[in-house]
Amino acid sequence: MPSFKMSRRTLLQTGTALAGTTLLPRFAFAQGGAGGRLVVAADSEPRNLNPAMVASNSVFFISSKVIEPLAEASYDGLSPRLAASWEGSEDGSTVTFKLRDGVTWHDGKPFTSADVAFSAMEVWKPLQNIGRSVLANLESVETPDDTTAVFHFSKPMPLQLMRNALPVVTSVLPKHLYEGSDISANPANTNPVGTGPFKFGEYKPGEYYLLTKNDSYWGAGEPKLDQIIFRILPDRAGAAAALEAGEIQLAAFSQVPLAELSRIKDVPGLEVITKGYEDLTYQLIIEINHRNEMLSNLKVRQAIAHAINKAFVVDTVFLGYAEAATGPVPHNSKEFYNPDVPTYAFDVDKANALLDEAGYPKKDSGTRFSLRLLPAPYFSETRGFGQYLRQALAAVGIEIEIVNNDTPAHLTAVYKDHTFDLSVGAAVFRGDPAISTTILVRSGIPDGVFFSNQGGYANEKIDALIDEALVTVDTDKRTKLYDEFQVLVVEDLPLINVAEWSFTSVASDTVENIANNPRWVVSNWADTALKS
């Protein structure tokens, strides 16, 4: 078999060159207040901070401290937030939420069931990227009193799905600020008002977001902190330097490069933390444009899968901080992972044979055909894997043209204009396949929906399984449907799952109560504190 010339050093150098550097103004932060101020690195700068509309981690990272969901994930299941309890009917036609009493919005108005009903019917279902599918069968929300919200569904809603979706889908907005407005253009999207432990204070473009303590928070003795500042540090190398200099106390979402962790963990006063991301498993995937005649051939897709050395990718691109994927559901999903799926061992000879069988022999030049590859620009790992994939496919005669774009251009090219053959993507598994996984292979998704099947793939059997699981109330039956779903996806390869990884945090040892739930980095940090 041909050997690969790409080394770990080459990949790291590529990532560094692509990252570039950004010089930021230095500014001082006074420490006022007994609870202190936590300064956190942020490598993205979302303009829309409304998680009820844009359910993405870059938005949750900041806004989850301001705007709360009905429930949050915990290591023991779910932790109540704005909902004190919930119960589903046996037939799946209703889910009833009992809400916390005495909660107020940051502007002093009372929080009631009317806010939940408005958020569900006017925002989550019609506007949210995830709610569109999860709540597709939501018919109405009844509010018999201020602390009760009854969700009525036209088709059965599995309580298993509803529970899994609560932390992601159900960020509640104040009806009195949004009703009668253009929700997508409402000023509160950039200056959010919530019920959470922190109030939105200030946003200074290119520098920071400031959150301040909510003295009227419903959680007794919370929040512990007086302020949180998210300091904009787009250059990941800058986060490591700022931690060592004591300018920030926390860098999450692997903002400290993986190559730096072995050194950083030995720096006195700093800790490398791998917990707190269990419900935010990222999946390195190859998105495939099935409109391309070559890629519509299953043998070609199988050949690409056999050409990839997943162990090399895990060890070299992720420096061991990842696991080889077997399919669309990651290993750490205790409810849904199915290990009994087809496998595609790294086998260059097999890949070459499949391409020959598909009718694409090598030409005199040694190549069979050319493809455009668009690596997602979100992470150095997606860019580094793009470089690896170019060399891996060259070994089987597929010439790759890499097209690098910034994030807006990449999203437009892949999900709207479809001007790609292959794309390196980073999907997120959010605890249930129906939340953000099945949308990657379900046909009929409108053009322009980000992180969805925009490759023209259609499989009636897979679609039928997805639709059946969405309304199957019996948990065991629903789980078995997803077992079959995983087998079919790996057999037909609408996309190729390569690796799955979580993130790391690096924090000062003065920060307390870190990573105490499986979505900690995008939860409310009400109990996070600084040692005095």
Side-chain angles (χ1 to χ4, degrees), residues 487-500:
V487 172
L488 291 179
V489 168
V490 179
E491 282 180 349
D492 206 35
L493 295 178
L495 49 73
I496 298 172
N497 288 83
V498 179
E500 51 206 41

Side-chain angles (χ1 to χ4, degrees), residues 382-401:
T382 51
R383 297 189 297 266
F385 176 70
Q387 295 293 334
Y388 162 78
L389 187 59
R390 179 178 63 83
Q391 292 204 12
L393 295 185
V396 297
I398 300 175
E399 185 177 41
I400 291 294
E401 175 195 358

Side-chain angles (χ1 to χ4, degrees), residues 55-379:
S56 73
N57 288 336
S58 63
V59 175
F60 282 131
F61 186 40
I62 297 168
S63 63
S64 60
K65 289 71 180 159
V66 177
I67 297 174
E68 295 184 292
L70 295 178
E72 185 52 271
S74 78
Y75 285 119
D76 298 318
L78 279 179
S79 175
R81 286 294 184 264
L82 290 177
S85 64
W86 46 89
E87 184 178 8
S89 62
E90 287 188 11
D91 63 0
S93 63
T94 64
V95 178
T96 301
F97 294 93
K98 297 300 293 184
L99 307 176
R100 289 190 185 275
D101 197 10
V103 176
T104 59
W105 294 99
H106 293 158
D107 61 5
K109 302 289 186 182
F111 160 75
T112 72
S113 57
D115 298 303
V116 175
F118 175 83
S119 297
M121 297 305 299
E122 303 299 326
V123 188
W124 305 340
K125 177 180 176 177
L127 300 178
Q128 190 192 93
N129 52 323
I130 295 174
R132 281 190 186 107
S133 57
V134 173
L135 299 177
N137 298 320
L138 178 63
E139 200 166 46
S140 64
V141 179
E142 179 188 2
T143 55
D145 57 56
D146 283 352
T147 58
T148 305
V150 184
F151 285 44
H152 292 269
F153 295 90
S154 59
K155 296 180 180 179
M157 164 57 83
L159 188 60
Q160 179 190 42
L161 170 57
M162 194 72 205
R163 285 197 304 259
N164 289 334
L166 288 178
V168 181
V169 173
T170 64
S171 299
V172 183
L173 300 180
K175 177 181 177 181
H176 64 278
L177 294 182
Y178 278 91
E179 187 176 34
S181 73
D182 178 353
I183 292 173
S184 63
N186 192 291
N189 293 337
T190 55
N191 190 11
V193 174
T195 58
F198 296 93
K199 296 181 178 181
F200 187 78
E202 181 186 15
Y203 164 53
K204 191 164 185 180
E207 294 194 35
Y208 62 86
Y209 298 86
L210 168 66
L211 307 184
T212 62
K213 181 177 183 176
N214 175 15
D215 290 317
S216 301
Y217 186 55
W218 56 263
E222 295 175 336
K224 306 294 186 184
L225 297 167
D226 291 311
Q227 293 182 343
I228 301 174
I229 287 177
F230 292 90
R231 180 178 171 184
I232 310 302
L233 291 170
D235 176 14
R236 292 191 169 200
L243 279 163
E244 293 184 83
E247 296 173 1
I248 62 173
Q249 295 132 308
L250 173 66
F253 281 119
S254 297
Q255 193 163 350
V256 174
L258 297 179
E260 288 280 300
L261 292 182
S262 59
R263 182 184 64 81
I264 285 288
K265 69 180 178 62
D266 294 328
V267 174
L270 295 180
E271 298 176 336
V272 175
I273 301 160
T274 58
K275 291 185 63 180
Y277 298 94
E278 290 84 353
D279 282 3
L280 301 174
T281 301
Y282 272 69
Q283 298 168 290
L284 184 72
I285 61 174
I286 301 173
E287 296 171 290
I288 298 170
N289 192 339
H290 294 255
R291 301 173 186 86
N292 180 305
E293 180 182 353
M294 284 87 76
L295 295 173
S296 67
N297 188 317
L298 176 58
K299 289 185 177 181
V300 172
R301 303 197 298 274
Q302 291 172 332
I304 292 173
H306 279 295
I308 297 168
N309 185 340
K310 292 181 180 179
F312 180 88
V313 172
V314 167
D315 291 341
T316 306
V317 177
F318 291 95
L319 305 184
Y321 289 92
E323 187 171 6
T326 59
V329 174
H331 291 78
N332 67 0
S333 175
K334 296 178 182 178
E335 282 187 289
F336 296 107
Y337 176 67
N338 178 11
D340 298 321
V341 298
T343 58
Y344 298 89
F346 173 54
D347 189 334
V348 173
D349 292 338
K350 178 70 171 176
N352 276 312
L354 284 165
L355 290 167
D356 289 339
E357 292 171 21
Y360 298 104
K362 284 187 178 181
K363 303 169 188 174
D364 291 342
S365 62
T367 62
R368 303 173 188 272
F369 52 81
S370 298
L371 298 172
R372 291 166 299 175
L373 172 65
L374 279 62
Y378 324 133
F379 306 110

Side-chain angles (χ1 to χ4, degrees), residues 421-480:
D421 296 316
L422 301 174
S423 169
V424 179
V428 185
F429 185 79
R430 299 183 185 274
D432 192 294
I435 296 175
S436 56
T437 300
T438 57
I439 195 173
L440 298 171
V441 298
R442 179 68 168 87
S443 68
I445 307 296
D447 291 353
V449 176
F450 296 160
F451 313 115
S452 71
N453 171 19
Q454 293 295 325
Y457 176 78
N459 182 311
E460 290 182 359
K461 192 171 183 180
I462 289 178
D463 286 351
L465 272 175
I466 291 170
D467 294 345
E468 185 179 354
L470 195 61
V471 297
T472 298
V473 176
D474 184 277
T475 297
D476 290 338
K477 290 181 180 178
R478 187 168 181 266
T479 301
K480 288 177 181 176

